[in-house]
Amino acid sequence: MKIDLEAERKEILNRYKILIQACKRRLEKGDKEIIRKAFEVAVEAHKEMRRKSGEPYIYHPIAVAQICAEEIGLGATGIVCALLHDTVEDTEITLDDVTGLFGEKVAQIINGLTKISGVIDNTSSIQAENFRKVLLTMSEDIRVILIKLADRLHNMRTLEHMKREKQMKIASETLFLYAPLAHRLGLNNIKTELEDLGLKYTNSEGYYDIAVKLQETEPQRKRFVQKFIEPLKEILGEQGFTFKIFGRPKSIFSIYNKTKTKGVAFEEIYDLFAIRIVIDTPLEQEKSDCWKVYSIITDFYHPSPERLRDWISTPKSNGYESLHTTVMGPEGKWVEVQIRTVRMDELAEKGYAAHWKYKDSAADKESNLEGWLQRIREMLENPDPNALEFMDDFKLNLFSDELFAFTPKGDMKTLPVGATALDFAFEIHTKVGEQCIGAKVNFKLVPLSYEIKSGDQIEILTSNKQTPKEDWLGYVITAKAKSKIKSSLKEQRKKIAEEGREIMERKFYKNKLDFTLQNVNDFCQFLKIPSSQELFYRAALGNVDIKEIKEFVRFKNNPLKPSRKTVTPKIEQLVTNARGSSDMLVIGDDMQKLDYKLSPCCNPIPGDDVFGFITVGEGIKIHRVNCPNAIKLLSNYAYRVVKAKWLNDQMISFLAGIKIIGTDELGLVNNITKIISNENNINMRSIKFDTDDGLFEGTIMIYVHDTKHLNHLMDILKKVKGVTKVERIDEKA
Ligand code: MN
């Protein structure tokens, strides 16, 4: 294909003009010139480069800048940085050049962006470490992460040009890291789009299934929304409100999740959309006007008492403000209604970036953001940063929803949902946590493991005889409590080990063994105990047998005798052997040669898209790429993932499960079993039927050869009279 360079040049300029249009409102004197300069530098730097799609590379930084301007609302510095974000990493331009041309601040942000991408593009590194890096950089300047999110969004929008493996990896990482980050920063639009795109590439079947159904049902939904809002429009107008009212569909990702977590079908989800009312009202009247609207709506439609959410009096920690209620609409359908002001709406869609626009009014929210960044810094300073555990804690603490609880004096503490009384104790003070023996919640005595509910008032009971116990780790979920308990346990262990050391010394002496470092270490190795401290600890608890010492003495005197050690082949070695020269693991043949198992979490069978995962003690496990655990595995342990494919011409059978739902027709069970047993080459392993009030549900576990074989059988079963649904199930029955 011949490239028309002149046409491309025009298109680049055209896109630039659209960008300037988008940020015009926010620009101050001199801003346009500096953006123009950044644009020219970027065009020149990327001029020889093209994207995977074949387009000029510069389209990408322009698009990222466009997102920053339009969807995040960044100012000139942010736009300049977005235009330059890939220059230092991918072109001749150095950080010094950037400093010289655009100053210290821009260079600092570009440096942050370069650091993040340098880490993330390295496929062999651990995701958790990346995460830490991202957050560390973020706490320097929030714009780094905002631009990074825009960069990721554009890459997700153009992901179709990448190879399948790359798509999987980038999409998994997006779901695991970037979408939660966008959520935490209150960038709702970006979060939703990242999630939808993430789902599209990690599970396209699930994605399109819902997308198509949403489209098919749209006219029907529109009619309903119309019917619902018509009378409200009239009354709100009469009352003198300036407002917008409309239906807003839920995202594909959130619908998909609902079908998965609640096990309901698409057709059964009642809140596929919400009604949103956005009123234009001065700041000082916001709260009372929103409640006025609430009162008007609930005069008209009956509200569900349990489903009122007031995030105006207490905004979410990501800044979200809104009043939600669920009312009984026409046709006996529950409908969620969201009431908010123009300001709140903009904050909800654009997050913290929009706060800058409302700076005066939102001073307290600025400090909220500051507080959040402070918590990140605290967590990053955790002295024992086992990277992975750190991330789990982190996600739990900062991305989950929060609850509020009060001290007896009425001080409010914010904790993640799921936090316990013990977490609360550590939140107050480390000493209070360590000596906690129980708590009174709303004046009632509760155990340490009590799960706090929002609004609880909690009094912690302490005793100076109390010390942290091993099982406490199971009661707490905050990173703070966990790390404090761990370090206290470590302290205790150390003390116990010191006593054990004396015991060990006596035992050695009795067996005429010198208590030398060498002997102690050899003995540890002999028992396969990781450290001498661990040995002493066990000795103190009476867990080192005198027989073991005697055996060790014998072994020492005659080391040629085979010891207790056995050689276990390294799994990595086995993988290398099995792969041969290709980098693809072929499964399905020669089961003995390679230690692999089909993972019970998703029961893969030949024909499924699969990958291998190297486990710690159980060889390689084969998972389906749409396995519920796949995202976590792929993004956290990319280095342990092995590409895998099935060998075609084999006749091994694999276990698969089918669920059949229908009406309780006479002879239905008989018909089904007959079909299965008449079918060639299928063996049933188990079959289970339940009938309940005319409804019928059956679970059948069968051995099949591949997906073709299984689908064929499912098609036949669907045709049986009385059967309404046949689906494959993942769990072993
Ligand atoms: Mn980029």
Side-chain angles (χ1 to χ4, degrees):
M1 196 185 82
K2 209 180 136 345
I3 296 167
D4 185 346
L5 287 176
E6 190 46 39
E8 272 186 8
R9 222 181 56 83
K10 274 198 185 131
E11 180 58 26
I12 292 170
L13 278 174
N14 190 34
R15 290 183 188 211
Y16 173 70
K17 272 190 203 127
I18 297 172
L19 168 66
I20 291 298
Q21 211 61 39
C23 40
K24 219 174 187 172
R25 272 191 310 144
R26 260 184 305 278
L27 297 188
E28 286 165 21
K29 208 164 163 282
D31 283 351
K32 216 170 152 185
E33 288 68 33
I34 190 87
I35 293 175
R36 177 82 198 188
K37 189 159 111 188
F39 168 69
E40 273 160 11
V41 168
V43 168
E44 180 61 22
H46 291 298
K47 72 174 180 229
E48 305 293 345
M49 296 165 62
R50 287 187 178 271
R51 298 205 91 206
K52 281 255 155 53
S53 59
E55 290 180 334
Y57 193 87
I58 189 70
Y59 285 7
H60 168 64
I62 296 177
V64 173
Q66 185 82 25
I67 294 169
C68 287
E70 220 163 39
E71 296 177 54
I72 305 181
L74 286 188
T77 307
I79 304 299
V80 165
C81 293
L83 285 168
L84 298 171
H85 82 270
D86 276 333
T87 53
V88 171
E89 199 190 345
D90 298 338
T91 75
E92 307 276 284
I93 291 186
T94 65
L95 211 54
D96 285 341
D97 295 339
V98 176
T99 317
L101 287 165
F102 300 96
E104 208 55 65
K105 187 77 223 169
V106 171
Q108 189 206 336
I109 295 173
I110 302 277
N111 188 27
L113 284 161
T114 310
K115 263 195 283 180
I116 301 180
S117 76
V119 181
I120 284 176
D121 289 346
N122 181 354
T123 43
S124 65
S125 66
I126 302 172
Q127 190 59 41
E129 212 18 68
N130 295 340
F131 196 74
R132 220 172 102 86
K133 266 282 189 17
V134 170
L135 295 165
L136 268 172
T137 330
M138 178 172 69
S139 49
E140 283 166 22
D141 190 313
I142 193 89
R143 276 172 291 195
V144 172
I145 199 64
L146 294 173
I147 295 167
K148 190 69 209 170
L149 280 170
D151 181 32
R152 176 52 60 118
L153 181 58
H154 186 245
N155 285 335
M156 285 300 289
R157 283 178 183 169
T158 51
L159 201 58
E160 62 195 294
H161 305 291
M162 292 289 198
K163 279 199 200 118
R164 182 83 186 108
E165 291 107 57
K166 235 354 220 302
Q167 286 179 342
M168 271 309 270
K169 186 173 182 312
I170 292 177
S172 306
E173 196 181 75
T174 298
L175 286 179
F176 197 72
L177 169 62
Y178 289 98
L181 255 180
H183 175 63
R184 197 58 189 74
L185 291 168
L187 295 161
N188 192 45
N189 284 352
I190 291 181
K191 169 212 155 205
T192 305
E193 192 177 345
L194 286 176
E195 283 177 343
D196 279 359
L197 287 167
L199 179 64
K200 184 172 159 187
Y201 288 101
T202 53
N203 180 352
S204 58
E205 210 181 306
Y207 173 86
Y208 284 110
D209 187 37
I210 289 167
V212 167
K213 280 181 181 153
L214 267 181
Q215 213 177 10
E216 284 170 356
T217 52
E218 204 193 325
Q220 185 192 332
R221 212 161 36 242
K222 270 197 170 144
R223 272 196 305 275
F224 182 86
V225 168
Q226 214 42 47
K227 199 162 151 192
F228 184 90
I229 66 180
E230 210 51 63
L232 296 179
K233 261 185 173 167
E234 207 171 299
I235 308 176
L236 287 169
E238 277 167 21
Q239 300 277 327
F241 281 106
T242 314
F243 66 98
K244 272 190 270 179
I245 180 166
F246 49 92
R248 235 185 107 81
K250 286 259 157 85
S251 76
I252 294 177
F253 182 82
S254 65
I255 295 171
Y256 173 80
N257 263 352
K258 204 153 207 182
T259 60
K260 283 285 145 192
T261 54
K262 301 239 161 101
V264 291
F266 177 87
E267 292 73 19
E268 298 162 45
I269 297 179
Y270 77 93
D271 54 349
L272 288 172
F273 67 93
I275 299 289
R276 185 173 299 170
I277 302 172
V278 181
I279 55 173
D280 199 351
T281 193
L283 194 66
E284 57 279 10
Q285 284 174 35
E286 280 192 332
K287 194 169 167 181
S288 62
D289 277 355
C290 285
W291 282 103
K292 243 182 236 163
V293 172
Y294 171 83
S295 144
I296 290 170
I297 290 159
T298 49
D299 275 348
F300 208 88
Y301 296 116
H302 202 75
S304 158
E306 298 113 68
R307 301 192 62 95
L308 175 64
R309 299 282 180 277
D310 173 12
W311 283 303
I312 292 179
S313 307
T314 320
K316 285 193 189 178
S317 58
N318 67 4
Y320 186 82
E321 293 171 74
S322 194
L323 191 59
H324 290 194
T325 176
T326 298
V327 300
M328 181 55 79
E331 298 164 28
K333 280 185 192 150
W334 288 110
V335 178
E336 183 182 299
V337 182
Q338 306 169 346
I339 305 161
R340 54 176 80 160
T341 63
V342 176
R343 180 190 66 85
M344 294 174 190
D345 195 48
E346 192 160 341
L347 293 186
E349 307 286 284
K350 292 187 180 171
Y352 274 112
H355 276 293
W356 299 335
K357 193 174 147 189
Y358 297 98
K359 221 168 189 164
D360 307 337
S361 62
D364 53 335
K365 269 143 230 143
E366 286 288 327
S367 63
N368 198 346
L369 173 66
E370 217 7 82
W372 182 59
L373 289 177
Q374 185 51 39
R375 274 169 80 184
I376 292 172
R377 285 188 205 107
E378 258 170 39
M379 240 176 265
L380 293 173
E381 282 155 13
N382 189 337
D384 175 31
N386 176 328
L388 216 101
E389 213 177 294
F390 158 81
M391 180 163 60
D392 277 348
D393 287 349
F394 188 90
K395 278 177 74 85
L396 251 172
N397 278 277
L398 287 175
F399 295 146
S400 65
D401 279 326
E402 295 171 333
L403 55 80
F404 307 99
F406 299 92
T407 66
K409 283 188 182 153
D411 289 339
M412 191 174 82
K413 299 275 171 200
T414 312
L415 288 157
V417 168
T420 61
L422 191 54
D423 280 309
F424 187 83
F426 276 98
E427 187 64 34
I428 293 174
H429 195 275
T430 306
K431 258 256 113 49
V432 176
E434 284 173 350
Q435 302 190 337
C436 178
I437 52 168
K440 275 186 181 169
V441 170
N442 309 327
F443 306 109
K444 265 197 217 114
L445 209 58
V446 298
L448 299 178
S449 57
Y450 170 84
E451 233 183 73
I452 300 171
K453 286 178 209 64
S454 220
D456 278 349
Q457 188 163 39
I458 305 172
E459 182 189 346
I460 298 296
L461 309 172
T462 58
S463 152
N464 53 14
K465 301 251 160 52
Q466 179 71 302
T467 52
K469 305 284 179 287
E470 194 86 36
D471 56 354
W472 281 19
L473 287 169
Y475 299 159
V476 296
I477 67 161
T478 58
K480 191 171 178 185
K482 259 188 205 162
S483 79
K484 297 289 182 201
I485 294 171
K486 271 188 201 155
S487 67
S488 169
L489 287 172
K490 231 179 178 174
E491 241 352 91
Q492 290 176 34
R493 259 180 113 84
K494 230 163 115 189
K495 271 197 204 126
I496 296 172
E498 270 158 31
E499 292 164 23
R501 189 191 161 89
E502 286 164 26
I503 297 173
M504 226 37 238
E505 196 170 351
R506 281 200 296 277
K507 286 196 174 173
F508 266 44
Y509 179 74
K510 268 190 207 149
N511 286 279
K512 305 203 167 51
L513 206 55
D514 288 335
F515 193 67
T516 59
L517 190 64
Q518 183 66 45
N519 272 343
V520 169
N521 283 344
D522 286 351
F523 187 48
C524 285
Q525 214 172 11
F526 180 77
L527 291 177
K528 297 203 190 101
I529 287 173
S531 69
S532 55
Q533 207 203 38
E534 177 70 25
L535 176 72
F536 298 152
Y537 180 74
R538 289 192 197 184
L541 300 181
N543 287 340
V544 177
D545 201 335
I546 198 84
K547 260 192 245 155
E548 287 172 316
I549 300 178
K550 292 213 158 88
E551 209 178 314
F552 173 63
V553 173
R554 261 202 305 283
F555 164 73
K556 240 181 117 64
N557 296 335
N558 188 6
L560 286 177
K561 232 179 89 188
S563 78
R564 298 152 42 118
K565 279 185 212 153
T566 49
V567 183
T568 44
K570 269 225 140 85
I571 190 77
E572 282 82 357
Q573 191 53 45
L574 282 174
V575 175
T576 319
N577 293 346
R579 279 178 188 169
S581 55
S582 111
D583 67 342
M584 185 76 91
L585 170 68
V586 177
I587 48 177
D589 67 330
D590 207 355
M591 295 262 258
Q592 286 77 18
K593 203 158 113 195
L594 187 65
D595 178 20
Y596 78 80
K597 286 192 192 79
L598 302 169
S599 180
C601 56
C602 56
N603 274 341
I605 62 173
D608 284 333
D609 247 351
V610 290
F611 64 92
F613 185 75
I614 301 172
T615 65
V616 174
E618 302 178 88
I620 298 176
K621 283 206 171 154
I622 306 296
H623 293 262
R624 277 153 66 179
V625 288
N626 56 4
C627 166
N629 296 319
I631 287 175
K632 195 164 180 191
L633 297 178
L634 286 168
S635 57
N636 273 330
Y637 308 97
Y639 61 100
R640 281 161 65 183
V641 168
V642 195
K643 279 191 252 175
K645 71 168 184 204
W646 300 96
L647 200 69
N648 288 326
D649 53 346
Q650 42 81 35
M651 285 299 277
I652 305 167
S653 293
F654 293 86
L655 191 62
I658 301 180
K659 190 161 124 187
I660 303 175
I661 292 172
T663 46
D664 194 5
E665 291 266 337
L666 202 66
L668 183 65
V669 175
N670 205 358
N671 283 341
I672 290 171
T673 43
K674 216 194 262 160
I675 286 170
I676 294 173
S677 49
N678 282 348
E679 195 54 26
N680 277 337
N681 295 319
I682 289 189
N683 285 311
M684 229 182 312
R685 197 192 72 163
S686 68
I687 186 162
K688 209 177 83 199
F689 288 111
D690 281 320
T691 57
D692 178 25
D693 245 0
L695 265 183
F696 153 93
E697 193 180 310
T699 314
I700 308 169
M701 299 303 292
I702 45 174
Y703 288 99
V704 293
H705 300 311
D706 51 28
T707 42
K708 223 170 99 192
H709 194 187
L710 182 67
N711 289 339
H712 167 70
L713 178 71
M714 286 169 62
D715 283 341
I716 301 178
L717 289 173
K718 273 179 199 156
K719 291 187 190 123
V720 175
K721 196 165 163 257
V723 170
T724 53
K725 198 164 164 189
V726 177
E727 59 184 16
R728 186 165 163 198
I729 48 173
D730 293 338
E731 304 298 319
K732 259 185 188 150

